[in-house]
């Protein structure tokens, strides 16, 4: 079966222990495939809820200074982890996770998405992270929540086990769990 080349790996920034595990997996994947790593930054981090966000579909509002500060903090945090890897891009996303990431997918900003799996049923946009990952039409890998070698894959990701380097590793399917 002919398969497209892995060109870009997407990662949603989460500056936490589980986020570091997911980032390391995304970075290793990008290195292995000589692909770009796109780091998406949401002012309200996924899995923390959206108390500060307006109505569904509304853009999150921050000042230009806050946006610059956020990008500076995220770049500083991840540049230390990137080492000599230079094919990394950062994007501040001010909309809801679901439409923002779908738009990035259709613009080919990533082929595979890696997310930190902070805990079961954590909110991601307007649904649980499991439901989001299960519905995204591209491969999605959730890393965690208990160990850095704990992987949860949506259906499209199951077809990319070799590319993901997980053909001999234990992994779990993502179900259609609703939180």
């Amino acid at each position: 079966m002919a398969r497209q080349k892995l060109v870009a790996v997407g990662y949603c920034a989460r500056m936490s222990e589980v986020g570091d595990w997911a980032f390391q997996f995304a970075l290793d994947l990008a290195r292995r495939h000589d692909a770009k790593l796109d780091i998406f930054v949401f002012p309200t981090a996924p899995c923390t809820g959206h108390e500060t966000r307006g109505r569904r579909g509304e853009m999150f509002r921050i000042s230009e200074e806050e946006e610059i500060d956020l990008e500076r903090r995220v770049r500083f945090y991840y540049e230390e982890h990137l080492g000599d890897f230079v094919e990394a891009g950062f994007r501040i996303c001010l909309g809801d996770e679901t439409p923002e990431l779908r738009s990035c997918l259709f613009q080919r900003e990533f082929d595979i998405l890696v997310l930190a799996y902070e805990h079961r049923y954590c909110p991601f946009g307007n649904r649980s992270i499991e439901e989001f990952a299960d519905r995204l039409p591209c491969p999605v890998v959730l890393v965690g929540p208990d160990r850095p070698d704990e992987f949860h894959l949506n259906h499209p990701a199951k077809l990319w086990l070799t590319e993901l380097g997980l053909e001999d590793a234990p992994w779990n399917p993502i179900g259609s769990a609703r939180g």
Side-chain angles (χ1 to χ4, degrees):
M1 168 191 244
R3 189 180 314 266
Q4 71 184 38
K5 181 182 184 312
L6 178 61
V7 176
V9 176
Y11 166 72
C12 287
R14 186 76 177 116
M15 294 181 281
S16 68
E17 181 179 32
V18 178
D20 289 349
W21 300 341
F23 175 78
Q24 192 60 56
F25 179 78
L27 177 60
D28 291 346
L29 189 59
R31 283 183 193 273
R32 189 168 49 250
H33 290 277
D34 196 26
K36 182 177 181 192
L37 176 60
D38 287 312
I39 301 169
F40 302 103
V41 181
F42 292 88
T44 56
C47 296
T48 60
H50 293 78
E51 301 81 18
T52 57
R53 203 163 272 156
R55 292 182 304 277
R56 185 175 163 191
E58 193 174 86
M59 296 295 280
F60 186 78
R61 299 190 195 293
I62 60 176
S63 70
E64 186 176 337
E65 293 80 21
E66 290 171 315
E67 187 174 343
I68 291 168
D69 181 60
L70 176 61
E71 184 171 357
R72 183 178 298 130
R73 283 185 290 125
V74 171
R75 281 180 181 273
F76 182 74
Y77 184 85
Y78 286 108
E79 283 179 359
E80 174 182 323
H81 293 79
L82 286 167
D84 63 351
F85 187 79
V86 296
E87 289 297 318
F90 294 86
R91 179 172 177 200
I92 304 294
C93 302
L94 299 178
D96 286 332
E97 287 86 353
T98 301
E100 283 279 337
L101 290 171
R102 281 184 179 274
S103 173
C104 292
L105 172 63
F106 294 125
Q107 294 173 31
R108 292 286 318 233
E109 291 185 42
F110 64 89
D111 301 303
I112 291 176
L113 184 64
V114 178
L115 302 172
Y117 193 24
E118 298 282 345
H119 59 81
R120 198 174 167 150
Y121 305 120
C122 67
F124 195 92
N126 60 355
R127 56 181 48 110
S128 72
I129 194 167
E130 295 90 351
E131 187 177 358
F132 170 82
D134 194 43
R135 289 184 175 190
L136 203 64
C138 73
V140 178
V141 178
L142 303 181
V143 180
D146 300 314
R147 300 180 323 275
D149 62 349
E150 185 177 4
F151 305 103
H152 305 267
L153 310 178
N154 70 351
H155 183 70
K158 295 175 197 176
L159 304 174
W160 287 70
L161 290 176
T162 301
E163 291 85 351
L164 294 169
L166 298 177
E167 65 273 9
D168 297 322
W171 55 270
N172 300 300
I174 298 171
S176 296
R178 308 292 192 266

